[in-house]
Amino acid sequence: MTHTIKFAGVNFNRNGVLASGILGVTGSSMIKTAQGGAGGITCKSISKNFRKGHPTPVLQVFKHGVINAVGLSSTGVDNSNNELRNVKNNSDAVVIASVFGGTEIEFKETIEELDSSVYDIIELNISCPNVADEFGHAFANSPHSASNVMRIARSATNKPIIVKLSPNYPNIGLIAKACEDAGADGITAINTVGPGMLIDINTFQPKLTNKVGGVSGPAILPIAIRAVYDIYKAVTIPIIGMGGITEVEDAIQMIAVGAQLYGVGTGILYHGIDIFNTINTGIDEYLREKNLQYDDLVGIVHKQ
Amino acid sequence: MTHTIKFAGVNFNRNGVLASGILGVTGSSMIKTAQGGAGGITCKSISKNFRKGHPTPVLQVFKHGVINAVGLSSTGVDNSNNELRNVKNNSDAVVIASVFGGTEIEFKETIEELDSSVYDIIELNISCPNVADEFGHAFANSPHSASNVMRIARSATNKPIIVKLSPNYPNIGLIAKACEDAGADGITAINTVGPGMLIDINTFQPKLTNKVGGVSGPAILPIAIRAVYDIYKAVTIPIIGMGGITEVEDAIQMIAVGAQLYGVGTGILYHGIDIFNTINTGIDEYLREKNLQYDDLVGIVHKQ
Amino acid sequence: MNNLIEKSYKTFRVDGCTDQKTFYFKIGKVDIKPGQFYMLNYNNSQKPFSVSHYDGENIGFTILKRGNTTLHMIENAKIGDYFGLTGPLGNSFHTEQYTNFLLIGGGVGAAPIYFLSEYLSKINKKNSVLFGSRTSSLCDFTHNLKSNKSATVSYYTDDNSGENQGFVTNGIEEILQKEKIDTVCLCGPEKMMIVASEKIKKFTSVPIQISMERYMKCGIGICGSCVLDDIGLRVCADGPVFDYELLITSKEFGKYHRNSGGLIEKF
Amino acid sequence: MNNLIEKSYKTFRVDGCTDQKTFYFKIGKVDIKPGQFYMLNYNNSQKPFSVSHYDGENIGFTILKRGNTTLHMIENAKIGDYFGLTGPLGNSFHTEQYTNFLLIGGGVGAAPIYFLSEYLSKINKKNSVLFGSRTSSLCDFTHNLKSNKSATVSYYTDDNSGENQGFVTNGIEEILQKEKIDTVCLCGPEKMMIVASEKIKKFTSVPIQISMERYMKCGIGICGSCVLDDIGLRVCADGPVFDYELLITSKEFGKYHRNSGGLIEKF
Ligand SMILES: Cc1cc2nc3c(=O)[nH]c(=O)nc-3n(C[C@H](O)[C@H](O)[C@H](O)COP(=O)(O)OP(=O)(O)OC[C@H]3O[C@@H](n4cnc5c(N)ncnc54)[C@H](O)[C@@H]3O)c2cc1C
Ligand SMILES: Cc1cc2nc3c(=O)[nH]c(=O)nc-3n(C[C@H](O)[C@H](O)[C@H](O)COP(=O)(O)OP(=O)(O)OC[C@H]3O[C@@H](n4cnc5c(N)ncnc54)[C@H](O)[C@@H]3O)c2cc1C
Ligand SMILES: Cc1cc2nc3c(=O)[nH]c(=O)nc-3n(C[C@H](O)[C@H](O)[C@H](O)COP(=O)(O)O)c2cc1C
Ligand SMILES: Cc1cc2nc3c(=O)[nH]c(=O)nc-3n(C[C@H](O)[C@H](O)[C@H](O)COP(=O)(O)O)c2cc1C
Ligand code: FES
Ligand code: FES
């Protein structure tokens, strides 16, 4: 898509979004990815203070995707302000600042410490499955805890806030609805699935230092499609749909079940950052062929 | 594995088990699968009364697995008795009768109506994600509801009872433990993941009549490995580990995290019923190479 | 593997009458052999259908109105509508080692036989074809076979609306006497195929290849709904074409089949 | 894709001293080019290492004791231990269009340079190699290069324990005067590579290929930890080999790198 799409009040020049945690550490790779066609750029989740993350190996590839447990490494807010400012000044992409906190208050404080001129949208990452040892269940585990974070974060910024949900708890629709009621301007779905585990059959050790890691990539596409379908039924706020998208047809499915924007993370492993240009061009061709407007496609499955 | 393994007090001649719902409608295909090398045969889940299941399409293949919503079709107990008797009389495989009920009592009644001479083990399918519209959450959703079914089923037979769990609810270890405490003789894990959904991008219709269907096949292997790992940590009763196994290395991983027996369902799509012979031979070779006993391999990851 | 993944295509041509229609789709180059079938999914109704035509670019399926799915397809599907196609699936008729074929299609069993004759004529293999149907209009889709030099085609109808009246099995004797047939391929009602096979056996011991039909849920060999008693073979993945000698060892051949719920229904 | 999936191999040979070891694994036939690297995972510690030897069957990695991971590997890994190998990863030195190479390896940067020289000699391409190291024992693993007719090898050490004392860059001038070098390949500390490149530029404008090192978490191009400011290129997937002209447009080249947490550390 090469024309403007409005999402949570913000104009996106192109309809693909870089998922959080992929090429999102430094400004320069985020700018580069915007050049690859991403209309929105989500940075690696920012925590208030420096976090080293888990020791490597933090990521392993299997035939159908990836498992990762980067463990929310973060340079902390100060450095993130600089990296995001770079993106904001040097690309036309919408900047989505993903934030992570161990407590509701930490979410609020982190947002407050972010320079509000360096981002367009805040994304609350309440759904990382890779820090369970440290933090227990993600806040995305219930309507109650998810909406609590949202409510408290709301007071920290006037910019739109979207909430990133997990497919690993039942009733994702109810949880999305609770976030909407608590003031969320949009939903991002899904974070990684599982978690999963892979074992080396020679050493009998888990292939990740953290033992378990969230599953991403093509393996999870059907789960992501279903989750976005459920969320679209439950809320009226817009959705960034991601999880397993590697081809234009995947993105079309995602938009058809209700995603206003599609997101790509692991897909970059298979097709590089040009995946955004490829998918955007593919969607344009598809719409022309079908004689459809982009807005008609969003959620069209629900109108059949 | 070509020597005997004891599982829940029952001797298996070979260590692979046919998963429920795959080639498990008629006795003849179950016998055939035993010839393909399965040491245990689980029939399609039996309900008390005849159930037609969902209208076709009930199954769709994607690049990394399958989504299905067969919807627990069943010929009812009477016919199932005949089909299982056929298996019992005409193969050396252990017969596992999978039963499904809409209520706890229905589980009990179904088991009572089964001729106890036609099966060796009862498997309680409390984890099917494909009948949510009809029954709401699966009983496998919480320690409380899972153990309730187990407790009530316990009074219906003297044969071993194992419980089939779902990866779609948090804390599978706790749920397994609750089943153990309620008298379960073993755990089967995992049932299908998600559920998932796939959309036809020309018609904008979900590709399954039931819209959503559980994900199986290679896509779910890491999730299954992690689930069995969690369960092994939580219980002392043995586990049948399944979910995404298509190759010998997958089965070895599954056994290494704690499965006493491995199970295959969707793998048959890729390799036919001979998949059991292939994997069994592969495991034998592997054990010889590593100079390991089968029992040493079971759960070896936990002993590192 | 790609054949197992459903893709949707627009039907660009529909032939036939109110009882039976042939739907065509442009699928491009695919390796398809006579006897193979597709799962066709129209508007959330899915059933298996034999390939009745394929020219290297366009595929055709001939669908007889029988129950819910076929009624829905025949009454509602129009040019431009999308069908989900999964296939080609299953095995095919053996053709390589034979030179002179007798083909018999009963009812909508004419569909795969039509494609088989088309295919054999294209590679210049002699084939004598017998079609039997209730009424002649149901065989209209096969008429152009007559223009192939390698094929001899005869029709039998129940209602005397076509060439010959009576059972399609009536034509067998004459052909077997005239031609040096080295294999027979059958598709149709099981009772017909049994009568035909027994008749053929009296004359010759050439291999008889039979295309079977059973209730299919998945079409790809995992659900277990199409399995034959007691031989344990799947019609969708081990068949649909079986050798007659193997089939008669199945206790259900010609006697019963199972419905969508797995319950036995006698023929 | 298969190169992205970790597989574990037993180390069957370990050479070297207490500060630096070369580990060998039998991996069979794989398409590996000089300059490429693997992620090596020993007992839940993982880091990238350049291929320092590959003969079509066995692969070798030369590991210098530097911090936690390398200490762990060097002190604990013995013959028979398994390492998880992911690779080959990254791009490689361009060799096809050139005929006479100057190769410079500083410190453990000798590892990929060793493999590159091995490779060039095998295809009979002339190469002059300069190795620089703290002390001569760290270059022992490269000594057999001298037996290759196509290669001329010289050593420079800080502590005067080897052939020549002083900086490896001291050897550049002589070679450029004697040989018709048409490309230079460098791997080593960035300060050294910058000094070397500036020296080379004074003599000739042949392409200078530089192998870079940055902190890597994934090694396969998605985590973003190895990206160069401001050019936005990933050392793991767009590199590790870059053209000097491109590199000097990166504001961090020779100046700083980022640590495991993404924080900037000056050289
Ligand atoms: C490999 C294969 C190839 C096929 N090829 C074709 C084809 O080319 N053209 C075509 O029109 N049909 C073909 N069929 C049959 C088709 O798939 C449907 O089963 C049939 O059209 C009935 O579907 P329905 O939903 O319309 O009827 P339903 O509503 O399913 O049933 C209608 C009636 O038909 C009976 N019936 C259903 N299935 C069978 C059966 N297997 N044997 C006997 N009676 C049965 C039912 O009991 C019921 O009385 C094929 C089937 C198979 C397995
Ligand atoms: C493509 C590539 C190829 C490599 N090939 C080899 C090889 O063949 N042999 C080999 O021994 N090593 C190689 N390395 C380096 C290796 O991967 C490790 O980074 C290094 O050995 C330090 O790891 P460690 O865990 O032992 O030390 P750490 O505990 O990570 O750190 C030890 C010290 O080294 C410093 N340090 C770490 N990384 C860097 C860096 N990138 N630049 C400057 N200082 C740093 C740290 O700040 C710290 O002071 C390569 C790296 C890359 C990116
Ligand atoms: C290496 C890696 C790191 C990730 N880090 C984060 C993160 O910091 N914050 C977050 O919200 N999601 C994170 N994710 C999840 C992705 O943003 C995305 O939701 C998920 O991977 C599914 O999309 P995909 O299949 O396109 O990758 C990470 C995923 C991967 C693979
Ligand atoms: C077509 C199909 C039907 C299934 N039916 C049942 C069932 O009736 N009862 C049950 O407990 N599990 C059922 N399952 C789940 C499998 O038994 C198994 O738990 C799951 O598919 C994961 O294993 P796999 O990846 O090896 O297939 C079914 C799976 C498939 C694919
Ligand atoms: S239709 Fe499912 S096995 Fe044949
Ligand atoms: S190490 Fe992850 S992108 Fe390079």
Side-chain angles (χ1 to χ4, degrees), chain A residues 270-282:
Chain A
Y270 308 99
H271 302 291
I273 54 172
D274 273 333
I275 188 170
F276 290 102
N277 277 331
T278 310
I279 291 181
N280 292 345
T281 313

Side-chain angles (χ1 to χ4, degrees), chain A residues 23, chain D residues 215-227 234-237:
Chain A
L23 297 179
Chain D
Y215 194 90
M216 292 186 181
K217 285 198 169 173
C218 74
I220 57 175
I222 68 175
C223 75
S225 59
C226 69
V227 175
R234 302 160 297 182
V235 173
C236 68

Side-chain angles (χ1 to χ4, degrees), chain B residues 97-147:
Chain B
S98 170
V99 298
F100 165 79
T103 62
E104 289 94 337
I105 292 301
E106 209 177 302
F107 272 97
K108 179 167 181 277
E109 289 171 353
T110 307
I111 300 170
E112 282 168 350
E113 286 183 29
L114 275 177
D115 175 349
S116 73
S117 73
V118 304
Y119 65 84
D120 301 297
I121 296 174
I122 290 286
E123 180 171 283
L124 304 177
N125 175 8
I126 61 168
S127 50
C128 181
N130 299 327
V131 287
D133 284 351
E134 202 175 339
F135 300 110
H137 279 302
F139 290 108
N141 83 95
S142 78
H144 178 73
S145 56
S147 60

Side-chain angles (χ1 to χ4, degrees), chain B residues 15-16 56 69 96-97 105 114 167 171 174 184 198 215 218 256 264 270 280:
Chain B
N15 68 338
T56 47
I96 304 172
I105 292 301
L114 275 177
N171 301 324
L174 287 183
L198 293 167
V215 183
V264 172
Y270 309 97
N280 292 345

Side-chain angles (χ1 to χ4, degrees), chain D residues 99-145:
Chain D
T99 53
N100 196 346
F101 294 72
L102 168 57
L103 316 182
I104 306 175
V108 75
I113 295 299
Y114 173 67
F115 177 37
L116 177 57
S117 172
E118 243 188 0
Y119 172 85
L120 293 172
S121 297
K122 205 173 286 169
I123 57 174
N124 296 315
K125 291 205 176 187
K126 235 178 150 186
N127 59 99
S128 308
V129 196
L130 300 173
F131 287 121
S133 58
R134 257 189 291 126
T135 184
S136 72
S137 62
L138 297 178
C139 276
D140 284 355
F141 75 102
T142 67
H143 283 171
N144 67 335
L145 287 182

Side-chain angles (χ1 to χ4, degrees), chain B residues 56-115:
Chain B
T56 47
V58 293
L59 189 148
Q60 293 279 5
V61 178
F62 71 111
K63 276 191 204 147
H64 310 281
V66 159
I67 63 172
N68 96 78
V70 171
L72 293 172
S73 56
S74 170
T75 51
V77 179
D78 279 353
N79 291 289
S80 299
N81 274 329
N82 293 333
E83 301 295 343
L84 291 181
R85 189 170 299 113
N86 188 3
V87 186
K88 194 80 203 116
N89 293 340
N90 293 293
S91 88
D92 68 341
V94 170
V95 176
I96 304 172
S98 170
V99 298
F100 165 79
T103 62
E104 289 94 337
I105 292 301
E106 209 177 302
F107 272 97
K108 179 167 181 277
E109 289 171 353
T110 307
I111 300 170
E112 282 168 350
E113 286 183 29
L114 275 177
D115 175 349

Side-chain angles (χ1 to χ4, degrees), chain C:
Chain C
M1 272 303 305
N2 267 343
N3 65 322
L4 303 179
I5 299 174
E6 185 185 81
K7 278 187 69 177
S8 56
Y9 296 92
K10 245 186 224 173
T11 172
F12 69 89
R13 178 178 147 200
V14 182
D15 292 344
C17 55
T18 51
D19 269 359
Q20 179 180 288
K21 286 187 175 162
T22 302
F23 295 89
Y24 294 90
F25 306 89
K26 186 177 179 139
I27 61 165
K29 218 178 141 44
V30 182
D31 185 20
I32 302 173
K33 298 202 183 67
Q36 289 192 293
F37 68 96
Y38 275 71
M39 297 297 285
L40 255 60
N41 176 9
Y42 177 66
N43 210 352
N44 272 320
S45 288
Q46 190 196 40
K47 281 280 159 79
F49 295 96
S50 298
V51 177
S52 86
H53 167 79
Y54 180 62
D55 57 17
E57 172 79 15
N58 301 314
I59 195 167
F61 300 96
T62 303
I63 297 179
L64 178 73
K65 200 190 282 180
R66 194 150 76 181
N68 295 335
T69 307
T70 49
L71 187 110
H72 179 49
M73 289 174 175
I74 287 181
E75 300 204 333
N76 300 316
K78 17 174 226 319
I79 290 179
D81 282 3
Y82 281 96
F83 281 64
L85 268 61
T86 312
L89 303 172
N91 70 358
S92 57
F93 290 106
H94 293 286
T95 57
E96 280 183 30
Q97 60 269 58
Y98 306 111
T99 54
N100 197 343
F101 292 71
L102 169 57
L103 316 182
I104 307 176
V108 75
I113 295 300
Y114 171 68
F115 177 37
L116 177 57
S117 172
E118 242 188 0
Y119 172 84
L120 293 172
S121 295
K122 204 172 287 171
I123 57 173
N124 296 315
K125 291 206 177 187
K126 234 178 150 185
N127 59 96
S128 308
V129 196
L130 300 173
F131 287 122
S133 59
R134 257 188 292 124
T135 185
S136 71
S137 62
L138 297 178
C139 276
D140 284 355
F141 75 102
T142 68
H143 283 173
N144 67 335
L145 288 182
K146 291 217 168 194
S147 62
N148 293 327
K149 261 198 300 213
S150 316
T152 326
V153 188
S154 323
Y155 295 94
Y156 291 79
T157 51
D158 298 353
D159 68 356
N160 200 15
S161 59
E163 275 184 1
N164 311 292
Q165 215 220 317
F167 295 129
V168 65
T169 44
N170 295 349
I172 293 175
E173 216 172 300
E174 197 190 321
I175 293 175
L176 288 178
Q177 276 163 348
K178 224 166 55 191
E179 296 287 338
K180 274 207 148 145
I181 296 297
D182 53 7
T183 190
V184 183
C185 301
L186 301 174
C187 187
E190 281 171 47
K191 297 265 190 227
M192 176 282 273
M193 296 197 288
I194 286 177
V195 172
S197 300
E198 285 169 354
K199 213 162 182 172
I200 293 158
K201 286 273 144 205
K202 284 198 195 123
F203 280 84
T204 164
S205 59
V206 299
I208 303 175
Q209 306 182 49
I210 291 189
S211 173
M212 289 288 287
E213 184 185 322
R214 280 296 176 273
Y215 193 90
M216 291 184 182
K217 283 197 170 174
C218 74
I220 57 175
I222 68 174
C223 76
S225 60
C226 69
V227 175
L228 296 172
D229 288 341
D230 272 331
I231 57 175
L233 295 173
R234 301 160 298 182
V235 172
C236 69
D238 303 310
V241 179
F242 296 95
D243 201 86
Y244 173 75
E245 304 298 335
L246 172 62
L247 266 187
I248 50 174
T249 68
S250 162
K251 71 179 186 197
E252 69 177 84
F253 179 51
K255 305 211 177 59
Y256 67 85
H257 67 113
R258 287 169 192 265
N259 66 15
S260 65
L263 294 178
I264 288 175
E265 291 183 353
K266 299 228 160 96
F267 280 119

